[in-house]
Amino acid sequence: DAKTTQPTSMDCAEGRAANLPCNHSTISGNEYVYWYRQIHSQGPQYIIHGLKNNETNEMASLIITEDRKSSTLILPHATLRDTAVYYCIVRIPPGAGTALIFGKGTTLSVSS
Amino acid sequence: GAVVSQHPSRVICKSGTSVKIECRSLDFQATTMFWYRQFPKKSLMLMATSNEGSKATYEQGVEKDKFLINHASLTLSTLTVTSAHPEDSSFYICSAEGGREDSYEQYFGPGTRLTVT
């Protein structure tokens, strides 16, 4: 899987949008961008994924640049419960039995 | 969404003993399950990939005789830490690949905290 680069940490005020960037300049044409998060002492939670189009679900939006070398995860109205480590991962589609490989992620701290 | 459970959630064992951790996919069948280990303030590290009915594939540096993995059915994989030592104390997380046709992904269990005294 291609390597990703994320900032180590970010802060966000409660109620504001949290924009988490990720660089994946070596992404291959068939690799997707996935985002997971891990709240302290819990298993990772799937957030969203995309190939090249922007995606939105009930949790977040994913903006992927046209060249696909970077992306941004947007939490539109961050709450205290969004405090977690966020992992950006690029991978081939599931089904091939290939594991997700986690980098260091971004620790997002949401404060009131 | 698809649910993966782990049991136990916490376990304390004495050095030299063995402990078994179960990982179950509750509402879907998983041909492939993965085991990760996470030390404090570190990221998840893949330990092994297990496929139902076949031997697990271990990552480099993971002792297969120490971390026994069995994937006997499409909904259950077990990790047994044999002759545990304090340095095996960690957060063990499993994941299962599967789900419905429109949501086929890798789903994670809640993790098992192992403390070896």
Side-chain angles (χ1 to χ4, degrees):
Chain A
D1 288 357
K3 188 173 179 179
T4 62
T5 304
Q6 300 178 251
T8 302
S9 63
M10 294 184 68
D11 295 319
C12 180
E14 190 177 22
R16 303 297 294 270
N19 299 291
L20 290 83
C22 179
N23 286 322
H24 31 79
S25 58
T26 59
I27 190 170
S28 299
N30 65 339
E31 288 181 317
Y32 285 69
V33 180
Y34 276 74
W35 284 83
Y36 280 78
R37 72 179 183 184
Q38 187 180 25
I39 296 170
H40 183 63
S41 293
Q42 297 183 23
Q45 177 190 21
Y46 166 82
I47 300 174
I48 199 168
H49 76 276
L51 182 62
K52 52 184 178 181
N53 296 325
N54 297 338
E55 302 287 344
T56 295
N57 63 20
E58 65 277 5
M59 289 183 68
S61 295
L62 174 61
I63 308 298
I64 303 173
T65 58
E66 193 169 342
D67 63 7
R68 302 210 320 126
K69 293 185 177 181
S70 65
S71 61
T72 301
L73 177 74
I74 301 172
L75 307 179
H77 305 287
T79 70
L80 298 178
R81 288 178 292 182
D82 292 323
T83 293
V85 180
Y86 287 76
Y87 296 98
C88 169
I89 303 169
V90 293
R91 63 161 300 171
I92 60 175
T98 304
L100 287 165
I101 303 300
F102 289 80
K104 296 181 179 179
T106 296
T107 299
L108 175 67
S109 299
V110 181
S111 57
S112 57
Chain B
V3 179
V4 175
S5 70
Q6 282 185 241
H7 177 79
S9 57
R10 277 179 191 276
V11 59
I12 300 172
C13 71
K14 293 186 176 180
S15 188
T17 63
S18 296
V19 62
K20 180 186 286 187
I21 302 170
E22 291 187 349
C23 176
R24 294 182 185 271
S25 56
L26 297 185
D27 51 0
F28 66 99
Q29 293 185 329
T31 53
T32 305
M33 289 186 170
F34 308 92
W35 287 95
Y36 294 81
R37 179 169 54 181
Q38 186 175 33
F39 293 107
K41 299 189 186 299
K42 299 293 185 181
S43 187
L44 285 79
M45 295 296 294
L46 179 67
M47 298 176 67
T49 300
S50 90
N51 292 294
E52 184 263 339
S54 63
K55 290 184 178 180
T57 301
Y58 291 82
E59 295 299 301
Q60 193 171 13
V62 178
E63 300 175 58
K64 62 179 181 181
D65 294 329
K66 180 170 182 61
F67 298 99
L68 302 179
I69 292 172
N70 183 280
H71 191 162
S73 79
L74 289 173
T75 60
L76 173 64
S77 176
T78 61
L79 167 69
T80 301
V81 183
T82 63
S83 186
H85 290 284
E87 56 265 32
D88 298 325
S89 298
S90 189
F91 193 49
Y92 291 87
I93 305 169
C94 75
S95 70
E97 189 172 85
R100 296 185 299 275
E101 186 176 326
D102 62 345
S103 61
Y104 194 90
E105 294 299 346
Q106 189 173 335
Y107 298 94
F108 287 83
T112 296
R113 175 81 54 194
L114 170 64
T115 303
V116 184
T117 61

